[in-house]
Amino acid sequence: MTRKLISTGSAFEAKAAYSRAVVDGGFVFVSGTTGYDYATMQMPEDAGAQTENIFNTLESVLEKAGASLADVVKATYIITDAAYADALFEVTGRRLKDIRPTNTLFIAGLLRPEMKVEIDVIAKLPTSA
């Protein structure tokens, strides 16, 4: 399988020299994704709305890779305040209810003050079962 790089077209991806996702070895490795709406480059204030935007981006990126949320096997969640956990879990509980990947949650600072949530995932391509 050939290594495939996937981009959202974000200028930051080029500036920081990374790919939104890399497909390699039957897996899709998706970089940490924050809550920007990449069509408008707007960041909602609410942690739940940021998480919804993240999942919209994850779905789009996974689709470009030939996978879907159903193929996610590992998720890492970063929130900047423990108070955002309930908003995060409301969205992840809905979006990953039947998928139930492994996960890790960190409380840490993020690059910009408006960023409250960041998520990265690893998915196994369906053809690699």
Side-chain angles (χ1 to χ4, degrees):
M1 172 178 275
T2 304
R3 181 179 166 129
K4 178 180 178 182
L5 307 179
I6 298 172
S7 173
T8 60
S10 161
F12 189 69
E13 291 171 19
K15 180 179 180 179
Y18 76 99
S19 295
R20 174 63 45 207
V22 174
V23 181
D24 197 1
F27 287 90
V28 183
F29 303 90
V30 182
S31 292
T33 303
T34 59
Y36 284 103
D37 175 337
Y38 286 100
T40 64
M41 286 310 293
Q42 298 295 311
M43 174 76 75
E45 174 72 23
D46 178 71
Q50 288 186 22
T51 306
E52 288 287 356
N53 281 355
I54 292 167
F55 272 91
N56 292 339
T57 300
L58 293 175
E59 285 179 324
S60 173
V61 168
L62 289 168
E63 182 179 319
K64 289 178 185 176
S68 71
L69 284 179
D71 301 306
V72 171
V73 295
K74 171 75 171 125
T76 303
Y77 308 125
I78 302 168
I79 53 177
T80 58
D81 189 312
Y84 302 141
D86 286 341
L88 171 78
F89 296 149
E90 190 280 321
V91 177
T92 60
R94 221 177 346 93
R95 297 284 195 118
L96 301 174
K97 179 181 179 180
D98 296 324
I99 301 161
R100 299 187 54 169
T102 64
N103 75 60
T104 303
L105 171 67
F106 294 98
I107 300 170
L110 294 173
L111 183 62
R112 306 233 185 278
E114 66 271 18
M115 297 173 176
K116 296 178 178 172
V117 181
E118 183 170 338
I119 300 173
D120 74 48
V121 299
I122 300 171
K124 184 173 171 72
L125 289 172
T127 56
S128 304

